């Protein structure tokens, strides 16, 4: 019996198995490299967005009227920065870790939305303050209350009421998104500021309505 002839298929089988194992190891190594590279690309974007969000949530919801538009514009700029980072994430090949990329995209999308809502709060708050001031000036500045004065007073009260509604809607919208903030202590602080701003607006509206 030719042992060498019998061993040839066995040797060939072992060689094939070794080649397959080596190929599998190389595949796993490449797969791990791609996953690591993806993680290295995603993590800094999430960290940067989180830092920008924390900084922005410290911005006053009721800034000085002279600074309000600038504060809102800065929030918009920060939201645009986060949205640019989000676009970068969406351009990545997420195949090595789709769950990680999806989670990161959701976090950045939530952060940008939060900042847009915060900017809306500041702008609608400013609009309400201006409408209230216009009504107060009209009510206190008249020497005689003619028909035209009454009509304008009614119109100004309507504008203030609409501005208050818009402001309250913006505050409620911001409050509704606070559940997306991972830092619960920070979310509670912002929630308290939202409640205070709403109370201030309600009091101001009532006071102006009594003029």
């Amino acid at each position: 019996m030719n042992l060498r002839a019998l061993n040839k298929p066995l040797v060939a089988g072992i060689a094939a198995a070794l080649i397959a194992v080596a190929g599998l190891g190389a595949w796993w190594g490449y797969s791990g490299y791609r996953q690591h590279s993806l993680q290295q690309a995603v993590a800094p974007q999430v960290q940067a967005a989180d830092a920008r969000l924390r900084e922005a949530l410290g911005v006053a919801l009721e800034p000085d009227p002279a600074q309000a538009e600038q504060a809102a514009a800065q929030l918009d700029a920060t939201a645009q920065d986060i949205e640019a980072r989000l676009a970068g994430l969406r351009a990545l090949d997420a195949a090595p870790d789709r769950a990680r990329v999806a989670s990161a995209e959701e976090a950045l999308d939530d952060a940008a939305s939060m900042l847009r809502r915060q900017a809306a709060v500041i702008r609608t708050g400013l609009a309400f303050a201006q409408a209230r001031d216009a009504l107060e000036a009209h009510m206190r500045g008249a020497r005689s209350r003619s028909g035209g004065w009454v009509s304008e007073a009614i119109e100004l009260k309507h504008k203030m009421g609409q501005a208050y509604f818009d402001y309250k809607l913006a505050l409620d919208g911001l409050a509704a998104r606070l559940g997306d903030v991972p830092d619960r202590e920070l979310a509670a602080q912002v929630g308290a500021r939202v409640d205070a701003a709403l109370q201030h607006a309600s009091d101001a509206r009532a006071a102006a309505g009594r003029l």
Side-chain angles (χ1 to χ4, degrees):
M1 180 179 296
N2 191 337
L3 294 179
R4 290 184 178 182
L6 289 176
N7 286 337
K8 283 183 179 180
L10 178 61
V11 171
I14 292 174
L18 289 174
I19 292 172
V21 169
L24 184 61
W27 183 86
W28 277 112
Y30 177 64
S31 178
Y33 168 77
R34 291 181 65 205
Q35 189 170 26
H36 177 72
S37 297
L38 183 63
Q39 181 179 350
Q40 292 296 102
V42 170
Q45 304 306 323
V46 175
Q47 292 166 359
D50 181 68
R52 301 298 299 274
L53 177 62
R54 287 175 180 276
E55 180 182 358
L57 288 177
V59 173
L61 294 180
E62 302 174 276
D64 184 286
Q67 305 297 323
E69 183 53 42
Q70 181 180 352
Q74 183 58 50
L75 288 167
D76 281 338
T78 303
Q80 288 175 357
D81 174 77
I82 293 176
E83 287 165 351
R85 296 176 185 277
L86 176 59
L89 288 182
R90 288 173 172 165
L92 294 174
D93 177 8
D97 196 340
R98 294 188 186 280
R100 181 185 297 276
V101 176
S103 178
E105 288 179 358
E106 182 178 6
L108 267 64
D109 191 42
D110 287 343
S113 176
M114 182 81 67
L115 297 181
R116 295 291 189 189
R117 289 176 183 272
Q118 191 174 353
V121 164
I122 292 176
R123 289 195 173 100
T124 55
L126 176 61
F128 168 68
Q130 292 171 337
R132 179 202 62 212
D133 290 348
L135 175 60
E136 289 180 350
H138 180 74
M139 299 298 286
R140 291 171 176 165
R143 295 182 179 178
S144 62
R145 301 195 171 189
S146 62
W149 182 93
V150 172
S151 296
E152 186 173 355
I154 293 173
E155 178 64 19
L156 288 172
K157 284 188 176 181
H158 173 74
K159 288 181 177 179
M160 185 192 71
Q162 183 61 52
Y164 171 80
F165 175 80
D166 293 341
Y167 185 36
K168 183 178 183 302
L169 194 64
L171 285 166
D172 289 343
L174 177 60
R177 296 305 300 267
L178 290 177
D180 297 328
V181 178
D183 187 331
R184 302 315 303 154
E185 182 177 354
L186 178 59
Q189 293 172 359
V190 178
R193 297 208 303 271
V194 168
D195 291 341
L198 185 56
Q199 186 61 56
H200 295 160
S202 179
D203 292 345
R205 178 194 185 199
R210 290 192 294 268
L211 294 175

